[in-house]
């Protein structure tokens, strides 16, 4: 009964007294905003990909790595987005455990598969880039190992959502695991500074300024913006689908309850 009441909140808009508190957090209002925005976001993402790929393919080869340096236009943005997704999930986890935000668990649940996909792209492209650069597809250095741990943590969160039947229990368990896994984010970021690794240190976000030539830095930034637009589009679409899925599930529970009473 508690589960049905909780899921029923995704169908029924709040009363006037609760409206100032919930604001845009109300699922119905969220859907009303997202529906017309999604086509424009998808179009902007497609245009950004066309521009980014054009600039990436036209970027000059590196004098040491040759054409293989262009792998970074996929590898680096996917690495950034893999970490950003987990940071977003951590904020959503606080929203679930502390503030009981109506859309927090929806945001965390739907971000996990997208973040896992970005992290997998990061690992695969990093391996392909490492073979001609380091002579091997994989080394157990701090940066690569911590990113692999991040990917496994993503799989753990996804598994929690799929195996725990009660949505409220699944949300709390996933939120706790997400906050525990957030400890790994600074390890990924500063691993190249704390330990002696094969992975190169930061070359874009530095106090001294970027260490990359503008001919390569510009398409890299464009691709980072493109990947961010892709994430926003996929995440909003996934949140919309999750809300609708919960509404259908709530209606089925209510119909089953009504049939049981009769």
């Amino acid at each position: 009964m508690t589960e049905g009441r909780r899921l029923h909140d995704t169908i029924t808009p709040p009363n006037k007294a609760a409206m100032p508190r919930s604001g845009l957090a109300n699922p119905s209002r969220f859907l009303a905003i997202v529906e017309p925005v999604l086509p424009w976001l998808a179009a902007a993402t497609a245009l950004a990909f066309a521009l980014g790929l054009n600039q990436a393919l036209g970027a000059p080869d590196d004098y040491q790595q040759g054409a293989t340096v262009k792998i970074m236009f996929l590898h680096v943005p996917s690495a950034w987005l893999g970490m950003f997704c987990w940071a977003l999930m951590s904020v959503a986890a606080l929203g679930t455990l502390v503030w009981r935000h109506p859309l927090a668990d929806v945001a965390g649940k739907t971000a996990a598969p997208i973040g896992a996909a970005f992290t997998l792209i990061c690992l695969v492209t990093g391996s392909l880039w490492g073979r001609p650069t380091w002579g091997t597809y994989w080394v157990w250095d701090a940066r690569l190992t911590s990113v692999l741990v991040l990917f496994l943590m993503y799989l753990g969160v996804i598994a929690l959502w799929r195996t725990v039947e009660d949505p409220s229990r699944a949300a709390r368990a996933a939120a706790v695991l997400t906050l525990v896994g957030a400890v790994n984010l600074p390890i990924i970021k500063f691993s190249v500074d704390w330990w002696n690794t094969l992975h190169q240190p930061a070359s874009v976000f530095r106090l001294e300024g970027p260490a990359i030539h503008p001919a390569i830095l510009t398409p890299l930034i464009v691709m980072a913006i493109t990947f961010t637009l892709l994430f926003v589009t996929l995440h909003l679409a996934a949140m919309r689908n999750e809300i609708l899925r919960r509404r259908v599930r709530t209606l089925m529970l209510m119909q089953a309850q009504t049939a049981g009473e009769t």
Side-chain angles (χ1 to χ4, degrees):
M1 191 66 180
T2 302
E3 178 184 347
R5 216 168 26 242
R6 184 174 183 274
L7 291 174
H8 183 66
D9 292 340
T10 64
I11 298 180
T12 306
N15 56 37
K16 293 182 179 179
M19 186 69 75
R21 180 182 64 82
S22 60
L24 296 179
N26 175 257
S28 297
R29 187 169 296 185
F30 173 83
L31 290 177
I33 295 174
V34 166
E35 288 290 351
V37 169
L38 272 177
W40 292 99
L41 276 175
T45 302
L47 290 175
F49 258 111
L51 176 61
L53 291 176
N54 179 66
Q55 291 199 2
L57 294 175
D61 295 344
D62 184 74
Y63 75 100
Q64 287 182 326
Q65 302 180 42
T68 58
V69 73
K70 296 182 180 180
I71 298 177
M72 78 156 56
F73 299 129
L74 296 177
H75 175 72
V76 175
S78 62
W80 289 345
L81 265 297
M83 296 176 63
F84 174 78
C85 284
W86 196 275
L88 177 65
M89 289 167 55
S90 299
V91 175
L94 289 175
T96 297
L97 297 175
V98 179
W99 299 298
R100 308 292 183 181
H101 194 284
L103 293 177
D105 60 330
V106 175
K109 179 181 180 180
T110 53
I114 304 173
F118 280 125
T119 307
L120 180 60
I121 293 173
C122 170
L123 290 170
V124 172
T125 54
S127 296
L128 295 175
W129 195 5
R131 182 64 178 88
T133 304
W134 299 334
T136 180
Y137 288 108
W138 184 264
V139 290
W140 291 97
D141 79 340
R143 171 63 64 82
L144 274 67
T145 304
S146 55
V147 173
L148 177 61
V149 170
L150 178 65
F151 178 67
L152 295 177
M153 295 288 286
Y154 271 121
L155 297 183
V157 169
I158 295 172
L160 273 177
W161 277 108
R162 291 183 176 274
T163 55
V164 179
E165 295 184 0
D166 183 7
S168 60
R169 288 182 55 201
R172 291 193 296 269
V176 171
L177 179 58
T178 299
L179 292 177
V180 172
V183 178
N184 191 37
L185 295 183
I187 295 176
I188 296 174
K189 170 62 179 175
F190 298 108
S191 58
V192 293
D193 302 317
W194 294 342
W195 295 285
N196 184 22
T197 68
L198 288 176
H199 202 283
Q200 69 181 46
S203 54
V204 177
F205 300 108
R206 306 189 317 157
L207 294 177
E208 303 84 0
I212 303 177
H213 192 276
I216 295 179
L217 179 61
T218 299
L220 178 61
I221 297 299
V222 173
M223 288 299 293
I225 295 173
T226 300
F227 271 57
T228 303
L229 282 173
L230 176 63
F231 165 73
V232 172
T233 303
L234 293 177
H235 191 217
L236 291 179
M239 288 183 66
R240 177 199 61 186
N241 294 342
E242 176 65 16
I243 292 172
L244 296 177
R245 186 192 68 81
R246 293 187 180 193
R247 288 185 172 186
V248 172
R249 185 172 186 271
T250 302
L251 290 174
M252 294 176 64
L253 288 174
M254 294 173 64
Q255 289 177 355
Q257 181 180 356
T258 303
E261 292 176 352
T262 57

